[in-house]
Amino acid sequence: MSSLPWRCGIGLLCLRCVYAQIYSFEKMALPDATSLHTLYAFYVYSHQDAPERTLGQPFVQFHNLMFTATNPADAEKAKNYGGVQLSILPYRSFWTLIQPDKFCSTAEDVRAGVAKEEGKLLAHKSPGQSDESVNLYSHTVNFGSSTDQQVPVHSTGVYILVFSNCGEFKDGEVSGSVIAKNSYGFLPGNEYHKMPFYGWLAILYIFMAMIWMCLSLRYWRELFHIQYCITAVIFLGLVEAFLQWRFFMDWNESGLRGRFVFVLAILATVVKSIFSYMLVLVASLGWGVTRPYLDQPTILKVQALSCFYIVLDFIRESALS
């Protein structure tokens, strides 16, 4: 167990922001004997704190989980093994509940009344407290047979998914999934407010586009080229807001991020940004304001800069999202 501080520290530092509320196990190797890994972070609202409560009590579901032995000869040894567990617990109390030098229960812990069973994840709590009272929920992954368990979440916060192996068997693989669902759907709590924001932003762009179109039709004889470009920026902003809203809506309903809509939304964001920046650049050079045209070398430089920026910004936005 002496390597736990190093492993847990690296695990917590490497936790990604939750990009979906479904974590899938596809023949994932078991942790080493008497060790644990932190895998994921779920952002969950309690029912009382949720911005919408249309779907009832939030919950975490351990779905269709089982483990198999990588070597068929070890099947008999793994048959009654109960040391593999998946647990969720609040991020803020992780180091309070999980002690680096003792995180697996022993026979002495059972006799002392601090654990119910030997070879399970051990949470360090005050006397008389249950796991549920500190928002710790554990599920034992059985060998050869899939099991389901659904537990309600009563407290708002970030919950860490912990994968533990409190025993000596380690040559196995886990399949199944862990699903977290809020009172409004699958969107993580830190992403929810983007959905109504982009919805209202799309409505605002529609309103702006209608006003701009009416003014452009009224004064169409007096328009400069730069004003046509402003029309394009408004249109790109509308497309971006709609695609982002649709992306978050689909994510909230299914629990998975649609790649196609995601790529389109990121591309619309990048193109709108670079188009806006280049419009300011060419306007500062006088195009459409004090001179009708720019010279060819300047146009080529602007086009090259635009293409270069689109590629790099698309990569950056994809990585950050």
Side-chain angles (χ1 to χ4, degrees):
M1 294 190 193
S2 59
S3 63
L4 179 69
W6 181 85
R7 291 181 181 177
C8 287
I10 295 297
L12 287 174
L13 287 173
C14 295
L15 275 174
R16 299 172 294 174
C17 293
V18 178
Y19 295 131
Q21 295 280 82
I22 301 175
Y23 190 96
S24 297
F25 295 83
E26 297 179 0
K27 295 186 176 181
M28 181 181 289
L30 296 181
D32 292 337
T34 60
S35 68
L36 64 80
H37 297 163
T38 53
L39 299 177
Y40 218 53
F42 296 112
Y43 294 76
V44 184
Y45 279 110
S46 67
H47 187 260
Q48 294 77 13
D49 296 336
E52 285 186 43
R53 306 172 189 173
T54 53
L55 300 180
Q57 184 71 29
F59 63 83
V60 171
Q61 182 179 14
F62 300 93
H63 176 62
N64 204 29
L65 286 160
M66 61 178 285
F67 82 90
T68 55
T70 52
N71 185 351
D74 294 330
E76 191 62 33
K77 183 167 51 174
K79 188 174 181 181
N80 297 314
Y81 187 71
V84 180
Q85 287 185 295
L86 286 164
S87 310
I88 63 163
L89 65 157
Y91 173 80
R92 64 178 178 269
S93 20
F94 180 88
W95 292 112
T96 303
L97 296 174
I98 305 299
Q99 297 297 319
D101 56 347
K102 185 175 175 58
F103 57 91
C104 287
S105 61
T106 61
E108 287 104 4
D109 296 320
V110 176
R111 287 193 292 271
V114 297
K116 294 180 180 179
E117 296 180 63
E118 180 183 356
K120 302 291 184 182
L121 182 67
L122 178 64
H124 295 262
K125 313 178 294 290
S126 301
Q129 282 187 315
S130 64
D131 287 351
E132 291 77 11
S133 66
V134 294
N135 298 304
L136 168 63
Y137 306 97
S138 297
H139 176 79
T140 299
V141 182
N142 296 321
F143 171 77
S145 60
S146 60
T147 54
D148 278 46
Q149 180 186 1
Q150 182 172 305
V151 294
V153 177
H154 299 290
S155 179
T156 299
V158 182
Y159 287 83
I160 302 299
L161 177 61
V162 175
F163 190 18
S164 60
N165 182 8
C166 288
E168 298 303 320
F169 185 82
K170 62 177 181 178
D171 299 319
E173 298 172 331
V174 172
S175 300
S177 60
V178 179
I179 303 167
K181 191 171 185 179
N182 276 289
S183 296
Y184 50 79
F186 287 102
L187 265 180
N190 64 323
E191 299 282 358
Y192 169 80
H193 295 286
K194 294 180 183 179
M195 183 173 64
F197 169 77
Y198 281 112
W200 285 110
L201 185 61
I203 293 173
L204 178 61
Y205 268 116
I206 291 172
F207 182 69
M208 290 172 57
M210 291 175 62
I211 294 175
W212 186 258
M213 183 178 65
C214 292
L215 292 173
S216 298
L217 289 174
R218 183 178 178 181
Y219 301 104
W220 66 274
R221 294 179 183 274
E222 304 170 26
L223 295 179
F224 293 101
H225 289 299
I226 196 169
Q227 289 165 317
Y228 292 118
C229 293
I230 293 174
T231 303
V233 170
I234 294 175
F235 174 74
L236 288 171
L238 174 59
V239 172
E240 175 202 9
F242 174 77
L243 288 174
Q244 291 283 6
W245 172 78
R246 186 67 257 176
F247 166 68
F248 285 109
M249 281 288 292
D250 290 343
W251 185 0
N252 189 51
E253 292 170 1
S254 67
L256 300 172
R257 299 200 312 171
R259 290 187 179 181
F260 181 69
V261 180
F262 172 71
V263 170
L264 287 181
I266 293 296
L267 189 59
T269 299
V270 171
V271 172
K272 186 207 73 172
S273 298
I274 187 60
F275 200 87
S276 303
Y277 299 155
M278 292 303 108
L279 183 59
V280 173
L281 176 61
V282 296
S284 66
L285 294 173
W287 179 76
V289 181
T290 60
R291 54 195 297 192
Y293 304 104
L294 294 176
D295 56 89
Q296 191 63 26
T298 302
I299 292 175
L300 291 175
K301 289 177 184 177
V302 170
Q303 290 174 342
L305 179 62
S306 299
C307 294
F308 187 65
Y309 187 91
I310 286 174
V311 172
L312 292 183
D313 199 38
F314 181 82
I315 294 172
R316 184 185 71 91
E317 290 288 339
S318 300
L320 293 176
S321 299

